């Protein structure tokens, strides 16, 4: 089952969404004001059949370690897009702890974190366990976070066939 939803007012309908336990592909976009918040992350964490999750059109500025932990429950995920598709500079702020939680998604073959603020240690924590990863988007990674550690973490993944570092300054 593939579901694409526009969430007009966040917080409304999360309970209903969490009951759709057979959905395997989900794309959410934000159609109004509001915060994704803990309720949204909790609702998503119950959708354990998901293999494809696209949140690139959501305002995920509220993404915290709780959000990462909630997504870590989705062990069937092979595709995760948390990128800042809107280009509004509200990319995720991912701590090392959050990166470790996302790294538990060992079935991921595609991961988009474009626009995220992620330290070199976060990239290492994230990439090391993801042995199935084939496509990784870290475009617009802040230049202060790029460099040898990031490239080293990426090079340690022989399965990667596509890496996007557009608008990222590497030293």
């Amino acid at each position: 089952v593939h579901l694409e939803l526009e969430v007009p007012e966040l917080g409304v309908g999360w309970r209903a969404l969490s009951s759709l336990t057979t959905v395997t592909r989900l794309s959410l976009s934000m159609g109004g004001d509001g915060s994704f918040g803990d309720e949204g992350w909790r609702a998503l964490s119950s959708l354990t059949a998901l293999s494809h999750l696209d949140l690139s059109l959501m305002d995920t500025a509220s993404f915290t370690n709780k959000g990462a932990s909630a997504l870590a429950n989705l062990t069937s995920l092979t595709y995760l897009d948390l990128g800042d598709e809107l280009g509004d500079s509200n990319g995720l702020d991912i701590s090392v702890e959050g990166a470790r939680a996302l790294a538990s998604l060992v079935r991921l073959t595609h991961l988009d974190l474009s626009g995220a603020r992620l330290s070199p240690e976060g990239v290492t924590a994230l990439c090391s366990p993801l042995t199935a990863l084939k496509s990784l988007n870290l475009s617009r990674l802040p230049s202060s976070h790029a460099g040898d550690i990031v490239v080293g973490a990426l090079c340690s993944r022989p399965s990667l066939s596509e890496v996007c570092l557009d608008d990222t300054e590497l030293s």
Side-chain angles (χ1 to χ4, degrees):
V1 178
H2 179 186
L3 187 59
E4 291 187 28
L5 292 175
E6 182 173 316
V7 183
E9 291 183 32
L10 298 174
V12 175
W14 288 126
R15 194 171 312 129
L17 178 65
S18 67
S19 68
L20 301 173
T21 56
T22 59
V23 172
T24 58
R25 294 176 57 94
L26 179 62
S27 299
L28 291 177
S29 61
M30 183 166 55
D33 295 330
S35 171
F36 195 71
D38 291 344
E39 190 177 354
W41 296 116
R42 270 193 303 277
L44 286 176
S45 74
S46 66
L47 303 178
T48 55
L50 281 179
S51 62
H52 180 111
L53 179 59
D54 185 348
L55 300 176
S56 64
L57 294 175
M58 292 292 292
D59 180 1
T60 53
S62 65
F63 186 83
T64 62
N65 290 338
K66 284 184 183 180
S69 295
L71 293 180
N73 290 330
L74 305 178
T75 57
S76 296
L77 275 183
T78 58
Y79 181 100
L80 179 59
D81 191 341
L82 295 171
D84 182 17
E85 186 73 26
L86 302 174
D88 60 8
S89 301
N90 285 334
L92 303 178
D93 192 5
I94 303 175
S95 69
V96 173
E97 182 182 338
R100 285 188 186 118
L102 292 176
S104 69
L105 299 171
V106 295
R107 292 185 180 176
L108 281 180
T109 58
H110 173 87
L111 179 60
D112 186 338
L113 296 175
S114 57
R117 291 173 297 284
L118 182 64
S119 70
E121 294 79 13
V123 172
T124 301
L126 182 65
C127 289
S128 295
L130 298 179
T131 57
L133 201 60
K134 294 179 184 334
S135 173
L136 178 63
N137 186 344
L138 292 176
S139 62
R140 298 187 320 273
L141 191 67
S143 60
S144 61
H145 295 157
D148 294 339
I149 293 175
V150 172
V151 172
L154 297 177
C155 290
S156 71
R157 294 278 44 92
S159 62
L160 276 174
S161 57
E162 180 181 345
V163 177
C164 182
L165 294 171
D166 289 352
D167 299 322
T168 299
E169 261 185 56
L170 297 175
S171 55

